């Protein structure tokens, strides 16, 4: 299960490596975009490596922006200048934080960026700021693990673009004047922007009046890139897009295959007043079925009917000249993938019987091969319901999986099949087998075994018959391998190219740069140099070093395995990464002396801009020139700091200080520590430096860095490694290692004189919230208060694994109990603010986790406050919600961190709990009084503290 554990204001395109695989280079968010850091529940996923490098990034960048600008007060007393009302009125409405913070969050976002497939044009996708709560509050259906907006017939809570501007890329690398896409209604919300293969047209969807049931549904539009004029693809006003799963795809330069709402669809199913019978689940066959705490599952037959109603599509083949043809029967189609030669279409769908215990990704799945005209050629597989996938990491579904087209062939399929029944605990060799086969094989011809793997398959990067790279990994050992395979030469044995630990970032050689073919696929770029017969590719690496990341490009000789560094980021001031190849318009090998790349460049004080770099002289041309998103913080101070845990593990963190701050003259500041733990198999790997000291400090809409504007020191992302070496599981010493890491971080900021020992707060989101609660329970001497957002606090409520723990509650009972801060609620004496979205859909972090934890805290007299945000999910989206979260956080820090901590301990809230729009509840008790022998005394939070050896928990 993939978990999103950090959301920053910019999306850095990480070097193309097996650990982070963006796809289509034609879709790229503009600086400063969103940075998404993903945690993988299962093995490293390399599947997208076979295709493009930056695929679908522009739609991601359309998420509500976290860019900002604000007026900053340089007063040393800025953190205490905001006037909080009488506490009897607290919790009656949505609030807005001080202007130093709110103006940053409210600043207009920069657009997203997308290059044409031919690299001759660029579009700017314009965006708006945070959406209002009224949009987030729209009704949604929670079905089969997904959330559907019934009025639009799409996934709910979709962000959108407000406009599209087209620019020609001139010969000197600069941009021509903007051509605005026009012709659609004013106020239209734009989604799913994509280029035609020949770069002559743009396709996109729009929705207009969401109050009206017809015009709120999506229509498909086509814009001429030369003129910007847009028209509807379908002449009939009754044809609407169904975007619950896939939406549409270009099958050639002039035709699209579109998922539409079936014209034969009847009325919305009505929920029966009287059920047909009881809800029954049975396991009379005594099958072992262990599943994590999935949410939004189907509940009954009515939900099944509702899911079918919204998810069923009719596929329509539509040409730009007006030709329209329905192909195939209505079904719940989940993906459409044309072959590189456009002769075939790979069609995936799901069907009944559905499940009440797993989401739709595990429903019965059928994969078929159709002709481009929609004729069924053959069925590739029909996989049964997969309720019994083991919870252990690297466990997978039985049968054919990862079915794709070879990117270097006209119409050759490849896929993988497990040999261990999908159970990672089964010892067998090989574990996975990769097969290939022509789309229409000769009668009786069996699939060809392409490669056998002892670890779990992770994807393939194709090049040609002489070169392909196959990836495999194994989570338990953190081993990762890259195989060199010659697909067209059976007599050439596969060879291991790289064999390393996925945790060892220092040894990461980088991943191959991909180039676009004329068929629109992406393959490994072959490089040739003058008077040299070598077989070269380019490796794009993050360049992790003890001084921070220094990205690079290496020319790699496949035959000799020797590398030559042909480009490297400036390590003194800038952080520059290679985004994509821009010189791949022609077929065949690329000449090194004609190489052209797109890079992103930033520094501590300069926000991200994009550049073209051209060989042989590496001439640089700046493409963008965005203003600083928050100029009032332009001179903030940033430093990557290193320090050591008491067991010798090397730790790192990023220390941010307000503009103009001088510790020698201004003295120590209140400090906010914001982090998220991570698991490792070795101390050496845990101590490696990740990130760069020269990266621009992206400030998100709920980022801890916002409190720089309130004169806080911010210790961002201090490493909290939970290490389980050898056969030891990391979580068996979770609390011990958690506390040791926190102690080292706090000691470092105090040693530097930038943090007041009595004014250090701790916070985190999701697994970081779990961390926060545990630190307040087991290390109360370190922090004056805590902020915990969208966390899970009782691991017995997630009995079949959580985060990176794949043992069950019954296999590791002590671990589950001891590392749950819920079980230590009686030890938490420092003030803790709990915030949670009322509609949290993340596995493990049900909203009741915060409800029950708050009740446990209140039952022991802890000073605590619970804020439930209506309509919000695991991350917060609406402006009202985000502003209120910032107001609550600022108030909490103002009340319990900025003052002397001993004063904060005695500061009581008064009044009763009130029902109000944010459902805020609070407990005013700040002291626990124990009676003994008829007397009473105050119990010190430092008394009788026990440090447990616990593992750690997750979202």
């Amino acid at each position: 299960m993939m978990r999103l554990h950090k959301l920053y204001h910019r999306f850095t395109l990480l070097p193309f490596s097996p650990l982070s695989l963006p796809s289509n280079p034609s879709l790229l968010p503009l600086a400063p975009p969103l940075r998404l850091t993903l945690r993988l529940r299962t093995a490293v996923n390399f599947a997208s490596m076979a295709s493009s490098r930056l695929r679908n990034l522009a739609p991601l960048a359309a998420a509500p922006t976290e860019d900002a600008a604000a007026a900053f007060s340089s007063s040393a007393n800025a953190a205490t200048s905001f006037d909080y009302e009488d506490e009897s009125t607290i919790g009656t409405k949505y609030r807005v934080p001080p202007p130093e913070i709110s103006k940053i969050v409210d600043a207009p976002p920069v657009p997203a960026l997308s290059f044409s497939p031919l690299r001759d044009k660029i579009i700017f996708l314009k965006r708006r700021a945070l959406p209002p709560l009224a949009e987030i509050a729209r009704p949604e259906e929670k079905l089969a693990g997904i959330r559907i907006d019934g009025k639009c017939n799409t996934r709910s809570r979709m962000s959108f673009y407000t406009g599209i501007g087209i620019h020609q890329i001139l010969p000197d690398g600069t941009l021509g004047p903007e051509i605005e896409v026009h012709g659609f209604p004013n106020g239209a919300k734009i989604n799913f922007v994509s280029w035609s293969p020949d770069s002559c047209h743009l396709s996109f969807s729009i929705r207009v009046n969401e109050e009206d049931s017809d015009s709120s549904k999506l229509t498909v539009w086509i814009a001429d890139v030369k003129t910007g004029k847009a028209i509807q693809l379908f002449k009939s006003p009754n044809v609407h897009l169904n975007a619950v799963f896939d939406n549409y795809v270009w099958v050639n330069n002039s035709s699209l295959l579109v998922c539409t709402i079936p014209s034969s669809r009847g009325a919305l199913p009505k929920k029966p007043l009287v059920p047909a019978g009881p809800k029954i689940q049975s396991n009379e066959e005594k099958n072992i079925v262990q599943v994590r705490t999935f949410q939004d599952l189907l509940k009954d037959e009515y939900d099944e009917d509702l899911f079918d109603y919204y998810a069923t599509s009719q596929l329509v083949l539509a040409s730009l000249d007006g030709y329209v043809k329905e192909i195939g029967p209505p079904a719940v189609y989940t993906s459409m993938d044309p072959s590189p030669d456009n002769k075939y279409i790979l069609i995936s769908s799901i069907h009944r019987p559905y499940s009440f215990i797993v989401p739709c990704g595990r429903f019965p799945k059928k994969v078929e091969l159709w002709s481009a005209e929609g004729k069924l050629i053959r069925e590739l597989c029909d996989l049964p319901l997969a309720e019994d996938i083991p919870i252990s990491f690297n466990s997978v579904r039985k049968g054919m999986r990862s079915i794709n087209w070879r990117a270097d062939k006209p119409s050759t399929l490849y896929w993988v099949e497990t040999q261990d029944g999908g159970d990672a605990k089964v010892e067998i060799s090989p574990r996975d087998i990769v097969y290939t086969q022509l789309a229409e094989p000769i009668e009786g011809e069996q699939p060809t075994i392409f490669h056998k793997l002892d670890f779990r398959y992770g994807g393939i990067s194709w090049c040609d018959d002489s070169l392909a790279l196959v990836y495999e990994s194994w989570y338990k050992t953190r081993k990762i391998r890259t195989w060199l395979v010659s697909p067209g030469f059976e007599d050439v044995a596969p060879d291991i190219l790289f064999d390393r630990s996925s945790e060892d970032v220092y040894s990461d050689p980088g991943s191959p740069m991909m180039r676009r073919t004329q068929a629109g696929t992406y393959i490994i770029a072959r490089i040739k140099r003058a008077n040299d017969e070598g077989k070269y590719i380019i490796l794009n690496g993050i360049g992790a070093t003890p001084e921070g990341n220094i990205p690079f490009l290496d020319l790699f000789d496949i035959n000799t395995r020797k590398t030559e560094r042909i480009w490297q980021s400036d390590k003194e001031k800038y952080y520059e990464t290679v985004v994509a190849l821009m010189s791949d318009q022609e077929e065949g090998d690329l000449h090194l002396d004609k190489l052209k790349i797109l890079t992103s460049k930033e520094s501590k004080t300069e926000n991200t801009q994009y550049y073209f770099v051209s060989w042989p002289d590496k001439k640089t041309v700046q493409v963008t020139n965005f203003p600083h998103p928050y100029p009032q913080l332009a001179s903030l101070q940033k430093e990557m700091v290193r320090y050591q845990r008491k067991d010798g593990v090397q730790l790192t963190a990023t220390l941010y200080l307000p503009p103009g701050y001088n510790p020698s003259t201004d003295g120590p500041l209140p400090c906010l520590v914001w982090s998220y733990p991570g698991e490792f198999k070795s101390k050496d790997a845990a101590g490696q430096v990740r990130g760069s000291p020269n990266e621009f400090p992206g400030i998100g809409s709920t980022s801890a860095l916002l409190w720089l504007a309130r004169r806080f020191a911010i210790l961002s992302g201090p490493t909290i490694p939970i290490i389980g070496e050898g056969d030891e599981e990391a979580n068996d010493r979770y609390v011990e290692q958690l506390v040791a890491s926190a102690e080292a971080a706090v000691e470092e900021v105090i040693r530097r004189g930038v943090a007041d020992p009595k004014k250090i707060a701790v916070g985190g989101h999701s697994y970081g919230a779990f961390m926060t609660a545990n630190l307040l329970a087991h290390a109360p001497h370190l922090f004056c208060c805590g902020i915990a957002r969208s966390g899970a606090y009782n691991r017995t409520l997630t009995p079949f694994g959580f985060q990176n723990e794949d043992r069950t509650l019954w296999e590791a009972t002590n671990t589950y109990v001891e590392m749950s801060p819920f079980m230590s609620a009686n030890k938490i004496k420092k003030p803790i603010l709990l915030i949670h979205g009322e509609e949290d859909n993340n596995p493990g972090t049900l909203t009741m986790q915060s409800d029950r934890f708050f009740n446990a805290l209140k039952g022991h007299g802890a000073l605590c406050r619970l804020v439930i945000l209506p309509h919000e999910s695991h991350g917060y989206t609406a402006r009202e919600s985000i502003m209120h979260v910032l107001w609550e956080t600022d108030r909490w820090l103002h009340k319990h961190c900025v003052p002397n901590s001993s004063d904060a301990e005695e500061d009581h809230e008064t009044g009763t709990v009130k029902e109000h729009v944010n459902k805020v509840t609070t407990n005013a008790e700040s002291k626990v009084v124990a009676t003994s022998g008829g007397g009473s005394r105050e119990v010190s939070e430092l008394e009788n503290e026990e440090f447990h050896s616990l593992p750690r928990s997750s979202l």
Side-chain angles (χ1 to χ4, degrees):
M1 179 70 185
M2 216 173 247
R3 293 188 177 86
L4 180 68
H5 82 230
K6 295 181 185 175
L7 178 59
Y8 295 98
H9 113 98
R10 48 187 290 281
F11 196 136
T12 292
L13 300 169
L14 297 179
F16 184 54
S17 79
L19 293 181
S20 66
L21 304 170
S23 25
N24 195 344
S26 67
L27 292 175
L28 163 69
L30 203 53
L34 299 171
R35 168 181 293 160
L36 303 180
T37 305
L38 302 178
R39 296 186 63 83
L40 306 184
R41 178 203 175 283
T42 55
V44 177
N45 179 9
F46 310 95
S48 64
M49 294 191 74
S51 59
S52 44
R53 186 170 180 269
L54 305 170
R55 190 173 188 176
N56 296 330
L57 290 186
L60 281 176
T65 182
E66 298 184 8
D67 303 339
F72 174 72
S73 169
S74 61
S75 166
N77 296 320
T80 62
S81 62
F82 194 66
D83 184 22
Y84 286 98
E85 303 97 326
D86 182 274
E87 296 194 9
S88 63
T89 67
I90 294 293
T92 58
K93 61 181 181 180
Y94 283 100
R95 302 302 180 99
V96 176
E100 305 98 284
I101 291 176
S102 62
K103 288 181 179 179
I104 294 177
V105 178
D106 268 341
V110 297
L113 166 69
S114 174
F115 285 94
S116 66
L118 300 183
R119 305 293 194 264
D120 60 341
K121 299 177 184 68
I122 185 174
I123 59 174
F124 289 85
L125 302 168
K126 300 166 187 179
R127 303 183 288 174
R128 58 160 187 184
L130 297 174
L133 186 62
E135 286 188 16
I136 307 303
R138 287 167 55 85
E140 58 184 0
E141 301 291 346
K142 303 172 184 176
L143 302 168
I146 61 176
R147 296 183 175 182
I148 299 171
D149 184 327
K151 281 188 174 292
C152 296
N153 219 104
T154 66
R155 297 292 179 97
S156 61
R157 307 180 185 213
M158 285 201 311
S159 57
F160 59 87
Y161 304 111
T162 58
I164 305 174
I166 306 170
H167 294 265
Q168 185 77 26
I169 300 175
L170 302 177
D172 63 358
T174 60
L175 303 183
E178 180 180 87
I179 299 173
E180 185 175 1
V181 175
H182 60 280
F184 51 84
N186 292 331
K189 299 177 179 179
I190 301 170
N191 289 99
F192 309 124
V193 182
S194 63
W195 291 90
S196 64
D198 61 4
S199 301
C200 292
H201 294 90
L202 289 170
S203 59
F204 56 93
S205 70
I206 69 167
R207 48 196 160 109
V208 188
N209 183 3
E210 295 183 357
E211 298 305 316
D212 181 87
S213 60
D214 290 327
S215 59
S216 64
K217 291 185 172 61
L218 278 65
T219 54
V220 182
W221 289 67
I222 304 294
D224 185 292
V225 171
K226 287 184 179 180
T227 65
K229 174 64 177 176
I231 61 173
Q232 286 201 54
L233 176 64
F234 297 105
K235 306 304 179 185
S236 171
N238 298 319
V239 180
H240 296 102
L241 187 66
N242 186 343
V244 170
F245 288 105
D246 211 344
N247 41 74
Y248 55 80
V249 61
W250 288 89
V251 295
N252 54 47
N253 291 331
S254 60
S255 300
L256 297 93
L257 184 59
V258 186
C259 289
T260 67
I261 298 173
S263 58
S264 60
R265 185 170 79 172
L268 186 71
K270 292 185 178 180
K271 189 175 182 67
L273 295 176
V274 179
K279 298 177 183 178
I280 298 174
Q281 296 188 52
S282 175
N283 190 31
E284 298 183 42
E285 296 81 11
K286 296 184 178 180
N287 295 323
I288 297 176
V289 179
Q290 300 178 348
V291 295
R292 296 208 174 194
T293 49
F294 299 118
Q295 301 194 50
D296 301 336
L297 301 176
L298 299 177
K299 299 181 291 297
D300 50 32
E301 292 182 1
Y302 169 71
D303 273 2
E304 292 181 308
D305 293 340
L306 207 57
F307 177 74
D308 276 336
Y309 177 83
Y310 288 118
T312 299
S313 294
Q314 173 63 60
L315 297 185
V316 174
L317 192 62
S319 298
L320 302 187
D321 60 7
Y323 173 79
V324 174
K325 176 187 176 183
E326 292 186 353
I327 62 174
V332 183
Y333 296 107
T334 56
S335 69
M336 309 170 293
D337 189 9
S339 61
D341 61 5
N342 295 327
K343 291 182 179 180
Y344 306 96
I345 305 173
L346 200 60
I347 300 290
S348 299
S349 61
I350 55 179
H351 60 82
R352 297 191 184 218
Y354 297 149
S355 171
F356 298 148
I357 64 172
V358 293
C360 57
R362 297 191 182 186
F363 288 179
K365 177 182 179 180
K366 182 184 294 185
V367 182
E368 298 174 328
L369 186 66
W370 294 8
S371 70
E373 295 74 33
K375 178 183 176 181
L376 175 65
I377 295 176
R378 63 183 175 122
E379 180 184 288
L380 298 177
C381 67
D382 192 352
L383 305 177
L385 179 65
E387 291 184 330
D388 60 346
I389 299 176
I391 63 172
S392 55
F393 297 112
N394 288 119
S395 292
V396 295
R397 190 172 193 158
K398 301 173 186 175
M400 296 174 68
R401 69 184 199 277
S402 300
I403 307 173
N404 290 291
W405 297 106
R406 273 187 62 167
D408 62 329
K409 293 292 182 180
S411 51
T412 299
L413 293 163
Y414 71 98
W415 67 90
V416 63
E417 294 184 29
T418 179
Q419 307 300 299
D420 56 14
D423 189 349
K425 292 185 178 179
V426 173
E427 296 293 336
I428 191 172
S429 177
R431 188 173 294 277
D432 273 343
I433 298 179
V434 182
Y435 296 90
T436 65
Q437 189 176 48
L438 293 175
E440 291 191 81
I442 300 172
E443 186 175 353
E445 183 180 2
Q446 296 301 309
T448 300
I449 293 178
F450 176 70
H451 194 50
K452 297 180 179 180
L453 300 167
D454 285 335
F455 297 161
R456 191 63 78 203
Y457 167 80
I460 302 176
S461 294
W462 299 96
C463 182
D464 53 28
D465 279 340
S466 67
L467 174 61
L469 299 182
V470 183
Y471 308 95
E472 65 174 341
S473 66
W474 197 246
Y475 177 77
K476 280 292 185 183
T477 60
R478 307 302 198 273
K479 293 292 289 183
I480 183 172
R481 289 177 182 162
T482 301
W483 287 87
L484 176 64
V485 182
S486 299
F489 300 89
E490 294 183 2
D491 57 333
V492 178
D495 188 18
I496 294 180
L497 192 62
F498 304 119
D499 187 355
R500 46 182 292 270
S501 168
S502 61
E503 292 183 337
D504 182 11
V505 293
Y506 291 170
S507 70
D508 187 351
S511 293
M513 292 291 291
M514 309 297 282
R515 58 159 298 163
R516 185 181 185 273
T517 68
Q518 290 184 356
T521 61
Y522 285 84
I523 63 173
I524 298 173
R526 290 279 297 268
I527 307 297
K528 62 182 178 181
R529 58 196 308 179
N531 303 319
D532 192 333
E533 298 300 321
K535 187 177 179 181
Y536 297 104
I537 64 174
I538 296 177
L539 296 179
N540 184 2
I542 61 172
T545 74
E547 289 72 44
N549 292 350
I550 308 172
F552 64 84
L553 289 182
D554 276 351
L555 192 65
F556 182 79
D557 191 323
I558 291 292
N559 295 325
T560 66
R561 311 293 169 87
K562 293 181 179 179
T563 62
E564 176 187 341
R565 189 136 302 177
I566 60 173
W567 178 91
Q568 182 168 304
S569 174
D570 175 6
K571 62 182 179 182
E572 299 303 323
K573 180 180 178 182
Y574 291 101
Y575 179 70
E576 191 169 9
T577 62
V578 177
V579 175
L581 283 174
M582 301 299 291
S583 54
D584 58 357
Q585 295 89 346
E586 298 179 1
E587 290 293 283
D589 294 353
L590 304 180
H591 290 265
L592 180 60
D593 59 1
K594 295 181 180 179
L595 199 65
K596 183 179 180 181
I597 60 175
L598 176 73
T599 68
S600 66
K601 187 176 182 179
E602 62 199 84
S603 71
K604 296 177 183 178
T605 57
E606 300 172 52
N607 52 305
T608 307
Q609 307 292 351
Y610 287 90
Y611 296 80
F612 292 135
V613 180
S614 303
W615 269 250
D617 56 358
K618 298 186 180 130
K619 178 184 176 182
T620 300
V621 177
Q622 186 168 344
V623 181
T624 61
N625 188 23
F626 298 110
H628 198 290
Y630 19 88
Q632 64 278 39
L633 292 178
S635 59
L636 63 79
Q637 303 171 56
K638 175 187 176 183
E639 181 183 359
M640 181 178 284
V641 297
R642 303 191 68 180
Y643 50 98
Q644 199 172 75
R645 203 164 73 177
K646 61 184 179 183
D647 59 359
V649 176
Q650 188 72 37
L651 305 178
T652 59
T654 306
L655 176 63
Y656 294 91
L657 298 171
Y661 169 72
N662 186 332
S664 62
T665 57
D666 298 337
L669 297 171
C671 178
L672 175 58
V673 178
W674 198 271
S675 193
Y676 191 101
E679 294 90 353
F680 293 88
K681 288 300 295 180
S682 74
K683 291 182 179 180
D684 289 342
Q688 291 184 353
V689 176
R690 291 161 174 83
S692 168
N694 296 326
E695 287 181 273
F696 180 72
I699 300 180
S701 60
T702 56
S703 169
L705 300 189
L706 289 166
W707 276 271
L708 290 168
R710 299 284 278 161
R711 304 296 288 176
F712 269 73
I714 309 295
L715 192 67
S716 178
T719 48
I720 311 284
I722 310 299
I723 304 165
E725 294 187 301
D727 294 332
E728 182 186 40
E729 295 291 340
N731 285 341
D732 292 336
R733 294 194 301 116
Y734 172 79
V735 167
E736 174 189 337
Q737 297 189 65
L738 177 73
V739 171
S741 297
E743 285 178 334
V746 168
E747 288 171 2
E748 179 64 17
V749 290
I750 293 174
R751 183 190 69 79
R752 289 171 169 264
V754 298
D756 186 325
K758 296 181 179 180
K759 300 179 181 181
I760 301 177
V762 62
H765 188 94
S766 197
Y767 201 44
F770 175 82
M771 169 205 75
T772 297
N774 264 314
L775 285 173
L776 292 187
H778 301 289
H781 57 292
L782 298 178
F783 304 105
C784 60
C785 65
I787 298 105
R789 303 191 317 223
S790 298
Y793 308 101
N794 184 352
R795 284 305 161 197
T796 68
L797 298 178
T798 55
F800 291 107
F802 57 89
Q803 197 73 2
N804 291 325
E805 176 60 70
D806 62 0
R807 294 173 296 178
T808 70
L809 169 64
W810 299 272
E811 293 172 321
T813 304
N814 290 340
T815 295
Y816 273 68
V817 172
E818 290 176 352
M819 72 184 293
S820 295
F822 179 87
M823 303 302 179
S824 299
N826 61 317
K827 297 180 179 179
I828 296 179
K829 306 298 188 295
K830 294 296 178 69
I832 182 169
L833 172 64
L834 305 175
I835 301 174
H836 216 121
E838 190 175 33
E839 305 295 332
D840 195 326
N841 64 342
N842 186 59
T845 54
L846 287 76
T847 307
M848 72 171 181
Q849 287 271 5
S850 287
D851 284 327
R852 294 185 177 183
F853 188 44
F854 173 76
N855 287 331
L857 292 167
K858 186 170 62 173
H860 290 90
L863 196 164
C864 51
R865 182 176 176 87
L866 171 63
V867 181
I868 302 295
L869 302 167
H871 305 296
E872 293 291 352
S873 186
H874 189 61
Y876 318 136
T877 304
R879 181 183 184 276
E880 292 91 332
S881 303
I882 288 173
M883 290 298 184
H884 191 86
V885 167
L886 300 177
W887 180 86
E888 290 280 358
T889 304
D890 191 71
R891 172 185 173 270
W892 204 251
L893 294 173
H894 173 82
K895 182 178 175 63
H896 302 296
C897 183
V898 173
N900 181 279
S901 60
S902 61
D903 296 337
E905 287 294 308
E906 297 169 2
D907 194 4
H908 292 238
E909 291 184 356
T910 59
T912 59
V913 177
K914 299 187 176 184
E915 280 278 290
H916 62 294
V917 67
N918 265 340
K919 296 186 179 178
V920 177
T921 52
T922 184
N923 177 36
E925 300 298 327
S926 63
K927 297 180 182 178
V928 179
V929 176
T931 59
S932 176
S936 65
R937 63 180 179 86
E938 181 177 339
V939 178
S940 167
E941 62 272 12
L942 297 179
E943 222 174 276
N944 299 321
E945 275 304 323
E946 299 178 6
F947 290 85
H948 298 279
S949 295
L950 324 174
R952 105 188 187 185
S953 148
S954 110
L955 323 181

